[in-house]
Amino acid sequence: MRLAIAGAGAVGSSVAQLAGDYGHRVTAVADSSSAAIDPDGLDVDAVLERKDSEGAVGTADPGDALETDYDVLVEATPTTLGDAQPGFGHLQRALQRDRHVVLANKGPVAERYGEVMALAEDSAGEVRFEATVGGAIPVLSTIEDYGPETITAARGVLNGTANFILSRMAAEGLDYEHVLAEAQDLGVAEADPSFDVEGTDAALKCVILANVLSDGREYTLEDATVEGIEAIPPSALELARGDGRTIRLIGEVAGGEIRVGPRLVPEQADLAPSGTRNIVQLETENAGRLNLSGRGAGGPETATAVLSDINRLTRAVP
Amino acid sequence: MSETRTQAYTVRLELVDEPGELLRALEPIADNGGNLLSIFHERGNVTPRGHIPVEVDLEATPERFETIVEALRDAGVNVVQAGQERYSEELTIVLVGHLVDTDLSDTLSRLRTETNSRVADLSLSAPEGTDDESSARLRLKTDQGAVGETLQAVRTVADEKDLRVIEPLATGGGV
């Protein structure tokens, strides 16, 4: 497959780097200000080196990347709320050209799911978005394989940063600010961690899960009840521990409700992973509870989900 | 087969402090179809007569429960009290906020009156002193099937006092 990659951050760059190993060719890479385009296939290393040294992937106009020859658009620009732009526009253009779209960007499927599905309906291209929920963990493809109608509920730890902070606070008895600073030093938390610690990122993933599991109703972030972890003092974790429990930021999708917030769970529970690990628990109608866990973020990890989506496209298109 | 609902009961026994007494007291329960839930053996708390109080929580249908009490008495076990346990579900929550400033004892009594539940256990942690934010872990005992209702009432009380509730996951397990 020929790939055009929008977004040259951790995920976009990793997809570009790994594409060759998976038998694909990268014909375009665009960042916010520039693009590198070659219908015969780009020299990915040179493009990324240029991005590193000059801050831009190439000299072409980023808009032209979407007009070049490709089979799949990999949309890996940053997630935005509300109108989900520019990601949504990129997806729209690709589908109008009957190209496939693989999203790593959560915005379009969390905020404008109905429109995305309608565009896909009218296109010969498909939309897949495994990378938007749980990084490397095959959550959406498992739901697809089982059949969304056989899944009665989904819950999980869907944000590695928040989980890292809570598990460090619990283990070391340190306060939130201290652990956050440590997480930032380690590169586990971003300079502005609000998206992660306020629960927004986990909520977006839950909204996407709700959309996939839903029978017609469309959900957006507005439908989610969201609480973050900033106000949790070490004393709360200590009390939880005294009772064999701990606190984790848990997202839940069940009965048309989406809820994200800190919850008490048994210390040894599946839903109390430590560090940045993510887990998704699916309640199935015929097979009981299913636990899927692994790395929920990171460039190569998330790129793996993107590439497995592309693989599924290869199978789907004659 | 008649479908009679099982209920939770508490039986208070007083046992002679001799080896094998506890087992002898539990056998009539198991033999008559009672499902043991918990046994609280107060070894350190001897009655004036030198007996050891034991509290047994069990589940049984009302008919079987009567048979169990009779069988215990037939076996010579001293049954002090036998009755239905009113509080048969438990949930643990953590409250965070200005617990002391917002009158903790009022919070607790409102939980009792408004949620039809009882605070079975309370631990408070106020590392910065009582003027600052503190945390409390509460174990609430509530009626069978009333956990959702209880949580809703907890949220209402907490909301009014600007306290934060950290709820348990998935009532009924969640492991």
Side-chain angles (χ1 to χ4, degrees), chain A residues 29-31 33-37 42 47 50 54 56-64:
Chain A
V29 175
D31 57 24
S33 62
S34 72
I37 300 167
L42 287 164
V47 169
R50 192 192 159 102
E54 293 172 37
V57 289
T59 51
D61 185 282
D64 293 342

Side-chain angles (χ1 to χ4, degrees), chain A residues 2-251:
Chain A
R2 294 168 301 170
L3 314 183
I5 302 171
V11 176
S13 310
S14 289
V15 172
Q17 275 168 329
L18 294 172
D21 298 347
Y22 286 72
H24 307 300
R25 189 150 44 102
V26 181
T27 56
V29 175
D31 57 24
S32 54
S33 62
S34 72
I37 300 167
D38 186 343
D40 296 326
L42 287 164
D43 176 350
V44 170
D45 289 340
V47 169
L48 296 178
E49 225 161 82
R50 192 192 159 102
K51 168 87 181 161
D52 265 353
S53 59
E54 293 172 37
V57 289
T59 51
D61 185 282
D64 293 342
L66 293 172
E67 306 304 326
T68 189
D69 293 336
Y70 62 86
D71 304 301
V72 186
L73 169 69
V74 174
E75 220 306 318
T77 62
T79 295
T80 51
L81 305 181
D83 65 3
Q85 294 290 14
F88 183 85
H90 297 162
L91 166 139
Q92 185 170 30
R93 182 70 194 121
L95 288 175
Q96 279 165 353
R97 289 186 62 199
D98 290 329
R99 303 292 191 260
H100 299 300
V101 178
V102 171
L103 295 168
N105 176 351
K106 294 179 272 292
V109 271
E111 296 288 57
R112 303 176 74 174
Y113 190 77
E115 289 171 81
V116 169
M117 290 300 123
L119 284 167
E121 188 77 15
D122 292 339
S123 171
E126 260 187 79
V127 178
R128 300 192 63 86
F129 42 98
E130 179 69 82
T132 61
V133 179
I137 311 169
V139 181
L140 300 181
S141 54
T142 302
I143 292 174
E144 186 179 12
D145 289 349
Y146 272 59
E149 65 285 352
T150 70
I151 312 287
T152 54
R155 67 181 80 84
V157 170
L158 285 160
N159 185 277
T161 305
N163 201 67
F164 175 89
I165 292 173
L166 288 175
S167 51
R168 278 292 283 170
M169 283 176 71
E172 309 293 332
L174 297 167
D175 66 26
Y176 171 79
E177 299 298 336
H178 185 115
V179 177
L180 173 62
E182 184 188 271
Q184 284 167 328
D185 287 345
L186 288 169
V188 169
E190 292 181 39
D192 175 5
S194 45
F195 221 58
D196 297 314
V197 299
E198 287 171 5
T200 315
D201 174 71
L204 287 170
K205 291 164 182 169
C206 287
V207 168
I208 295 168
L209 279 171
N211 278 325
V212 168
L213 294 174
S214 155
D215 190 15
R217 180 176 159 193
E218 181 184 346
Y219 296 87
T220 69
L221 189 57
E222 294 220 322
D223 298 305
T225 310
V226 188
E227 262 186 90
I229 61 163
E230 305 117 294
I232 297 178
S235 59
L237 283 151
E238 181 197 309
L239 285 173
R241 191 179 193 175
D243 195 37
R245 291 161 209 256
T246 189
I247 299 171
R248 287 290 187 271
L249 184 70
I250 306 275

